[in-house]
Every structure is written in C-alpha cells, then in structure tokens.
Amino acid sequence: MDKTGAEILVEGLEKEGVDVMFGYPGGAILDICDCLCKSKIRFILTRHEQGAAHAADGFARSTGRVGVCMATSGPGATNLVTGIATAYMDSVPMVAITGQVPTSMIGNDAFQEADMVGITRPITKYNYLVKDVMDLPRIIKEAFFIASTGRPGPVLIDIPKDIQRAVYKNYSYPEKIDMRSYKPVYEGHPNQIEKAAKAIEKSKKPLLYCGGGAIISGAHEEILKLAEKCDIPVTMTLLGLGCFPGNHPLALNMLGMHGTQYANFATAETDLIIAVGARFDDRVTGKIDEFAPNAQGRVIHIDIDPSAISKNIQVSVPIVGDCKKVLSDLLKVVKPLKHPEWVKQIREWKEKFPLKYKNDDDLLRPQYIVEKIYEITKGDAIIVTEVGQNQMWAAHYYQYSKPRTFLSSGGLGTMGYGFPAAIGAKVAHPDKLVIDVAGDGSIQMNIQEMATAVINNIDVKIVILNNAFLGMVRQWQELFYQREYAFTDLVRYIDKDITTEDIKKDPSLFLPNFVKLAEAYDALGLRVTKKEEVTPALEKAFSSPKVAIVECIVEREENVFPMIPGGASVKQMIGGMA
Amino acid sequence: MQHIITALVENRFGVLANISSLFSARGFNIDSLAVGETHDPSISRMTIVVTGDDRIIQQVMKQLNKMIDTIRVSDLTEEAHVERELMLIKMGHTPKTRAEIVQLVEIFKGRIIDFNPRDLSVEIVGSSDKILAFMDIMRSFGIKEVARTGRVALPRG
C-alpha cells in the first residue's frame, strides 16, 4: 500500500502501542498533525513544548511504557530539550518526534530551523534525522526498541517536512528488528553471581543500595526477597524510593546529601555494598574517598549499563545485567542468613535518629503537610515533585511502598518538572490520585499547563509549599553564604523584611495569588495558613473532581535536614536534630 | 599512558559526530582519530589514540561500547598488533640541500611525491616514532606544511 511519511509515522506509533501523546503543533509538523487527528491516538495539546516532554516523561515513569512527545521544528523542538535531558539523566523511555524544515533547506538557516540532531546528541540515547521516507518505518521501529530496552532513554526522530509528504510505494511496517550493533545484555554472568553470593555470605554488615534501575527493571519483589532471606537492610536513592517498602523494619530510606542519619551511618559502617541499579552519584557519595570506608574493595554492583560500573568507585564484583533477572538468579544460590547484631544496630539508629522536625508549636511547617498527605492518601497515590526543598520533604515524610509511585527529576534536577509530569501520570492512571508536591518557585516554571489539565479533565492536585523563597538555594545561602539571600526572595517587596505572618495576613505580598490563579483557570484554589486547616483543605481538594491547587503558607526559613554539604562526608552532617 | 583503540561502527550519518561529541562531553583527550570504510561498505573502522589512566581508558571503552552504532571495540595496546601512520610533508630545497634530503628520504623508506623548483613533498609511512624522527630531521631544511593521518591499526593473527 502507498503511504506518505506522515501516515507511516502515525501507523508506526499505533503499531508500537502508543495510545496517547503530548505535543504542540507548528508549520513543519502540520502533515503529521493532520494524520494524527484522524487516528485513534489521543493527542494532548500542552501549552508549552516543555510541558509535553515532561508529561511524556511522567507517563513513562508511572507506567514503564514509552512516553511520546511531539513538537515542530526550531523553537518548538528546542523547547523539548530540557524535558529530553531530564529523561536522559533518569533513564526514562521516551520518543520525541520533531518536525524539521524540508531537506532541501536544511543547513540554510531556514525559518524555524535548528539542528536538533546536533543539539540533542549528548542528551539522547540515540537520534535520527530522516533523510529518506523509505527509512522511516525501520527508524520508528528502532526508536521504540532503543528507547525501551537496555538502559532506557529518550530517542529523537527529526522528520523534515518533505519526508512527511513523500510517498513510499508498497510500504509495509517491519515485523522484526535486527541491530547488530545494539544488543543489551540481560543475563548476569553466573560466575559473577556466584561470587556475589559468596561475598554476601562472608559479610557481617551487608547493605543493599538501590537506585532508579531497580524500579525500571521491576526488581522490587526480588529486593524484598533478598533483603528478607539474607537479613540485609536496604537504603535507596531518591529515584529508588518505592522499590522497597519504606515502613519495612529493614528499610533505611534515602541515603546521601539529604539522606536519613541512619542510612548514612549504615553506609559508613557497612562492610559490603550491594548496589542495584544505582550509580554512586555525587549526591549519594559526597566526598568519594570517604564514602563507605569499611566497604572499600567490597562492592557488588548490578547494573544493565556497564559504563555505570566502576565509573565513580572501584567495584569488586561487577554484574552486568537486568537487576530483576540477576537478583532472581542470585536468590537461587545465596544461603539464608541472619545478621542480628547489625540489624539491631540499625534498629537502634532508627529509633535514636529518626527524621524529625519541630512540631510542638502552632507554626505551619512543610513537613507537616507532607505527613498529612501521606495520612489522608494512606500511601495510595502517585506523588510527583518539583525540585528543591519540596522534593526532599516529599521524599522524607511520605512512605513509598510501591514502585512508580514517586516521580521526581533526580539527575538533572529540573524545576518545573512536577506539574506536567503529574499530568502525564494522571493520563496514564485516571483512577489514581496524582499529587504534585510543589514549591512556590518551581510551580511557576510550567504553570501554563493549568489550561492543559483543566481543559482535558486531568484532575491532578497541586500542593504548593509556599515559603516565598527559592527555598533550597536560600538554605545554601543561609548555611554557606552568610544569609545573603541573593535573588532567592520571591516576595513582592524584597527591600522589606517580610515574615511568614505578614504573608498569611496579606496575600498580596506574594505573587501570583494562587487561589485566584486557580480560579482564573476554572480550577479549585484553596489557601492554608494554619495547621488545623491542612487536613480539611487536602481532603476537599483530593475529593474534588476538579484540578486543584492547595497553597500552604509555610514557615519561610524552614530547612531540609539532615544535610551533608556537597563534597563532604557523613562526619560533616549538619542539622540532624530539629 | 597512551592507548590505541579500534572500533568497528555502522557506517552511518552522524557516527563520527557522535564519537567526537562523546569524547568532548566526557572530557577525554583524543590524540588522533582515523576513520575509513572497511571491505564491508556498511561498516567503518575507527582507530582512536587516547591518553589516560586505567580508569579513564576503561570508561572510554565502556562509553564507546555503549554507543548504539558501535559493533565492536578493542584496546590493542597490550595486544599483538600492527600499526601505521602516514605523513605528507612539504619542505623547501636548494641545489645544496637537495641531495641530502633525497638521501634521508631513502633512509626512511619514504617517497618523493611532488617536486618543483621551490619545494618538494615526501610521503612517509611507519610508526609514529619514525614519523616524528623524520619530521625532526627535516626541521633544519624548513618544513612548510605537514599532514598526518593519525594511526591506524589491526590486531595480529
């Protein structure tokens, strides 16, 4: 059958199982839009291309399926860049489709031309500029394969306008895929697994350290089994949250810069690290030479990406493979173990140094709000965060027990990620409560997506922890820059000393007025200034059929603790106790 | 330490750019990079000479392997291999120096490939040491231009 490039693309998307995509039209992608609107695929029109990329990301992270976004050439495509980079850093399967100027005009500085293959080269797993319509079916097939296999990541397909219109005679979509240069390894080497089992059996203080890879591979059940079979405590990275029940006796929750004290003590004390889909990122290790001093030379690292192994620290038992597969093989060979002393020590640390904040007065603190979200939802919600203090509080004071229920931009740390990602997650899970825990700074970076959410009845709930500061940066300024709050104060009159109380009394001291803003978008807007108002407001918002913003005016200078300053070690941990 | 790495890659648009972008993004230093089609026109061989400690070289190998278009990567440094580089070098000559230059070219098993009254061009093939040695000797005759291919290599056996 004869088909145009645009028709081939739409049919390819359907064949790859795409039922929803996010995007924005434009001149160089009109042919594809024209075909798409006649297809079964639900196209969600965002209000900015960045929103489309993050929504596709949220869709992908909450489901494990490939998220798809689309934009026109030039500025449309460059607006996707932050979203693509965010997905790349956190290994999110995504296919981004961009229009391009006609092949004859490429390189001529044509109207709305940008070299997208060049621009996205370092932030995509792979990218394509389609130069011949005959290549298009294979490229679509490959793009979805590459995005979703091995260590997942975003793939960009740049399609010039004339290719969209070109006709492929007697076209058929490829059934199979064969790439001699790309063959991800899923099975761990049996000898290495044997070695790992021996090392675990020899260890007195083993520690499982699980990252985003554990969630991507769906290894949560195997992690639970291994932890219980061999009596091993489990710490998680930010992106690993949800791969092990947060309220399990062996759970240490998050480690690293804003990790729990007990997780960081355990890391300092352990004699064997079993890393599962984690990459020893600098936010986790702090000063690399002082990281896990008693586990030097005793590190098992399971990862599907060989280049993640021995990149930052020396690994004694590298195992390249899919975390889930490797762990289930490991479970077959490792003996059941008990570490009563070690687990007792962990339990003592957990009792003695819990996460806590000052909660014995009437002041409204952000941690309290996150705790209430957990109480009301009983942990049965998808929590999406922005980046900064809101992100860390959402990680600390909500217990994640299931994978893919905590979505956050970890690697790139993209402010403005949360709200559009929440839209994507809600589209994938219409029956689930999806909550964006936001800060007053981040939420403004993609606030335009209010229209997208309301118009499409994607009733996400936004809880803004409003301290009228770019809180995390302010915290660093307080701790390391002599309280010089340069460019972080978001109140209306920065030359005046405006307190939390002032903002509570006079909403006009902070812009925008989020309640009015919600109303302007025909959403529900609620403002909370007191502790006792938190639960009723959250309940009202969560049970409403509408998109809702709950703005909470919180203590302006509340800090995220504990904290290990960048490049320091656990010895320099500050603010353990509130 | 200097390593000589050879990679078989898909002969596709953008592969060279991907590799050079990888090296610059990761802060690896390329000493030389040579690319050419193999007997199979769908495959190119790249020979990359790179300096770094073991950790860096390990990362270079892994990152190269990770690239979607890479079919096979090997580090030939410690393996038995043959390697060659080609240099074209142009220098001035006078009736006084001409004979000496020709003699030196012979000693180095080079060939004079262009000649005119003002200058001559020589082709030298060999190890990088040999090429550097020849270039050093030629300095006193006044080198005008040099073009080098960078090293290419194949494993032995």
Side-chain angles (χ1 to χ4, degrees):
Chain A
M1 202 176 149
D2 300 353
K3 278 195 190 286
T4 66
E7 287 166 344
I8 291 168
L9 176 76
V10 173
E11 191 182 307
L13 293 173
E14 284 172 348
K15 291 229 157 132
E16 294 302 324
V18 176
D19 49 19
V20 60
M21 55 193 284
F22 306 86
Y24 207 95
I29 199 147
L30 274 171
D31 291 275
I32 291 171
C33 293
D34 191 53
C35 286
L36 260 176
C37 76
K38 293 165 197 146
S39 87
K40 288 174 292 191
I41 297 172
R42 181 179 179 200
F43 185 87
I44 293 175
L45 172 66
T46 56
R47 289 299 179 270
H48 188 291
E49 290 88 350
Q50 188 187 351
H54 291 323
D57 176 315
F59 178 91
R61 287 195 213 217
S62 67
T63 58
R65 293 167 59 200
V66 178
V68 183
C69 58
M70 191 184 93
T72 191
S73 64
T78 56
N79 276 344
L80 292 177
V81 165
T82 303
I84 295 172
T86 304
Y88 183 69
M89 286 290 267
D90 291 345
S91 309
V92 177
M94 181 191 284
V95 169
I97 294 150
T98 49
Q100 182 56 279
V101 301
T103 33
S104 60
M105 308 204 9
I106 289 176
N108 286 356
D109 300 326
F111 176 66
Q112 293 196 326
E113 181 186 358
D115 170 16
M116 285 318 293
V117 165
I119 288 172
T120 61
R121 184 167 286 129
I123 55 162
T124 49
K125 187 170 169 188
Y126 200 62
N127 62 21
Y128 296 91
L129 170 62
V130 187
K131 289 180 152 180
D132 185 337
V133 71
M134 310 272 278
D135 295 332
L136 188 56
R138 172 186 57 83
I139 286 175
I140 299 164
K141 187 93 190 161
E142 281 182 8
F144 277 84
F145 178 65
I146 292 170
S148 58
T149 53
R151 179 176 180 172
V155 177
L156 179 126
I157 312 176
D158 199 27
I159 314 178
K161 188 164 170 122
D162 56 320
I163 303 291
Q164 297 171 32
R165 300 177 74 96
V167 176
Y168 183 168
K169 287 206 165 26
N170 299 319
Y171 141 89
S172 68
Y173 194 70
E175 295 292 322
K176 279 199 310 219
I177 196 155
D178 181 33
M179 296 181 73
R180 60 183 168 190
S181 62
Y182 175 68
K183 297 197 190 307
V185 175
Y186 290 95
E187 302 287 343
H189 198 286
N191 290 355
Q192 293 299 93
I193 291 171
E194 196 69 46
K195 268 195 215 166
K198 292 251 159 61
I200 292 170
E201 284 158 17
K202 252 191 3 208
S203 161
K204 293 194 170 64
K205 298 173 177 179
L207 178 66
L208 269 157
Y209 150 56
C210 304
I215 290 186
I216 294 169
S217 81
H220 47 282
E221 282 169 17
E222 286 73 15
I223 290 169
L224 182 63
K225 279 185 199 156
L226 180 64
E228 290 183 342
K229 181 175 183 183
C230 300
D231 207 21
I232 306 173
V234 183
T235 182
M236 287 156 270
T237 68
L238 180 74
L239 293 192
L241 291 176
C243 79
F244 188 76
N247 43 18
H248 192 284
L250 289 168
L252 294 170
N253 301 313
M254 197 163 70
L255 81 165
M257 178 176 276
H258 287 298
T260 59
Q261 296 196 76
Y262 41 92
N264 285 326
F265 291 156
T267 311
E269 197 62 33
T270 177
D271 64 2
L272 176 74
I273 289 184
I274 308 150
V276 181
R279 58 190 178 92
F280 298 89
D281 164 77
D282 58 276
R283 284 292 184 268
V284 160
T285 62
K287 193 172 182 192
I288 198 90
D289 305 331
E290 289 174 33
F291 176 72
N294 299 315
Q296 299 271 319
R298 284 189 293 273
V299 176
I300 299 168
H301 194 168
I302 306 167
D303 205 295
I304 199 152
D305 177 5
S307 74
I309 296 175
S310 291
K311 182 172 68 182
N312 298 331
I313 73 159
Q314 216 40 54
V315 169
S316 49
V317 187
I319 308 179
V320 176
D322 173 62
C323 295
K324 186 182 171 76
K325 282 219 166 91
V326 171
L327 286 179
S328 70
D329 290 346
L330 180 61
L331 274 164
K332 285 178 208 148
V333 292
V334 74
K335 287 189 214 127
L337 301 163
K338 282 281 164 214
H339 305 100
E341 289 291 305
W342 176 227
V343 171
K344 184 168 156 257
Q345 168 75 84
I346 300 262
R347 199 172 54 233
E348 279 171 21
W349 281 331
K350 282 177 81 168
E351 278 162 16
K352 206 164 161 196
F353 307 105
L355 277 173
K356 61 176 178 182
Y357 63 97
K358 193 165 159 51
N359 194 21
D360 55 3
D361 54 22
D362 290 337
L363 299 178
L364 181 56
R365 290 191 175 78
Q367 300 93 327
Y368 177 83
I369 295 156
V370 177
E371 274 183 349
K372 289 295 157 198
I373 295 174
Y374 180 62
E375 262 177 48
I376 294 167
T377 61
K378 300 182 183 66
D380 187 26
I382 295 175
I383 304 294
V384 191
T385 79
E386 302 289 343
V387 167
Q389 288 184 317
N390 60 79
Q391 182 183 31
M392 292 300 126
W393 286 319
H396 284 164
Y397 292 96
Y398 187 105
Q399 302 301 318
Y400 301 90
S401 54
K402 291 195 199 100
R404 304 193 182 281
T405 57
F406 175 75
L407 317 182
S408 192
S409 166
L412 198 67
T414 308
M415 287 174 70
Y417 167 81
F419 178 35
I423 291 176
K426 182 70 182 177
V427 167
H429 303 272
D431 302 328
K432 274 227 150 187
L433 185 57
V434 179
I435 303 165
D436 176 29
V437 176
D440 49 285
S442 288
I443 191 63
Q444 294 189 63
M445 286 205 176
N446 274 316
I447 194 72
Q448 77 285 347
E449 301 308 333
M450 282 297 286
T452 312
V454 172
I455 288 170
N456 294 289
N457 297 313
I458 307 165
D459 60 324
V460 300
K461 315 298 174 186
I462 305 169
V463 179
I464 304 175
L465 310 174
N466 187 353
N467 53 19
F469 270 122
L470 300 175
M472 186 58 95
V473 184
R474 184 210 56 75
Q475 174 171 340
W476 283 57
Q477 289 170 332
E478 177 186 333
L479 298 171
F480 313 118
Y481 293 84
Q482 296 80 43
R483 294 179 62 101
E484 182 69 75
Y485 293 161
F487 321 131
T488 45
D489 197 340
L490 298 188
V491 294
R492 186 164 189 166
Y493 311 105
I494 51 167
D495 47 342
K496 290 187 193 144
D497 198 9
I498 293 170
T499 65
T500 312
E501 284 311 303
D502 296 336
I503 299 173
K504 284 181 181 173
K505 278 187 214 123
D506 179 3
S508 76
L509 290 175
F510 179 87
L511 298 177
N513 180 321
F514 284 115
V515 174
K516 283 189 189 164
L517 182 132
E519 284 163 3
Y521 280 107
D522 196 20
L524 175 67
L526 301 168
R527 191 167 192 266
V528 170
T529 58
K530 296 190 189 81
K531 264 184 173 175
E532 61 268 26
E533 295 168 353
V534 173
T535 301
L538 291 177
E539 278 174 345
K540 186 172 176 194
F542 296 168
S543 61
S544 160
K546 283 188 154 189
V547 176
I549 294 182
V550 182
E551 180 196 23
C552 308
I553 308 298
V554 298
E555 282 307 297
R556 296 201 68 199
E557 295 188 55
E558 191 63 22
N559 285 332
V560 176
F561 286 134
M563 176 180 191
I564 300 172
S569 76
V570 64
K571 286 176 223 153
Q572 285 100 49
M573 189 183 321
I574 46 178
M577 310 294 272
Chain B
M1 182 182 160
Q2 204 175 51
H3 283 247
I4 183 157
I5 292 166
T6 168
L8 290 175
V9 298
E10 293 286 351
N11 185 9
R12 274 192 197 153
F13 162 79
V15 179
L16 180 59
N18 281 343
I19 296 221
S20 54
S21 152
L22 163 74
F23 276 74
S24 73
R26 301 263 168 196
F28 305 141
N29 277 322
I30 301 183
D31 298 325
S32 77
L33 170 64
V35 196
E37 217 173 87
T38 63
H39 58 294
D40 177 347
S42 69
I43 297 177
S44 294
R45 179 182 293 277
M46 296 199 173
T47 312
I48 306 161
V49 180
V50 56
T51 306
D53 59 24
D54 286 353
R55 199 183 63 85
I56 290 176
I57 299 300
Q58 208 183 40
Q59 265 302 305
V60 169
M61 297 289 292
K62 285 177 173 177
Q63 295 291 347
L64 282 171
N65 261 314
K66 188 175 167 177
M67 285 187 36
I68 304 288
D69 284 322
T70 310
I71 300 164
R72 199 170 70 226
V73 185
S74 25
D75 183 350
L76 296 180
T77 320
E78 307 283 325
E79 279 177 50
H81 68 277
V82 286
E83 56 174 86
R84 287 291 181 271
E85 181 172 353
L86 183 143
M87 172 172 70
L88 303 180
I89 180 166
K90 184 194 281 185
M91 54 231 145
H93 62 90
T94 63
K96 267 191 202 159
T97 59
R98 199 171 299 146
E100 196 181 346
I101 291 175
V102 169
Q103 202 178 13
L104 284 162
V105 170
E106 266 171 31
I107 292 171
F108 277 81
K109 297 197 168 62
R111 286 202 310 151
I112 293 172
I113 54 172
D114 187 32
F115 189 93
N116 62 52
R118 274 168 291 109
D119 47 46
L120 57 83
S121 296
V122 176
E123 164 202 294
I124 294 277
V125 178
S127 68
S128 297
D129 288 349
K130 174 177 159 184
I131 280 172
L132 284 175
F134 185 77
M135 194 159 63
D136 264 353
I137 292 168
M138 288 303 122
R139 280 185 205 281
S140 57
F141 299 99
I143 299 173
K144 291 189 169 168
E145 279 183 286
V146 164
R148 294 170 64 179
T149 57
R151 284 193 252 172
V152 292
L154 283 178
R156 270 190 198 274

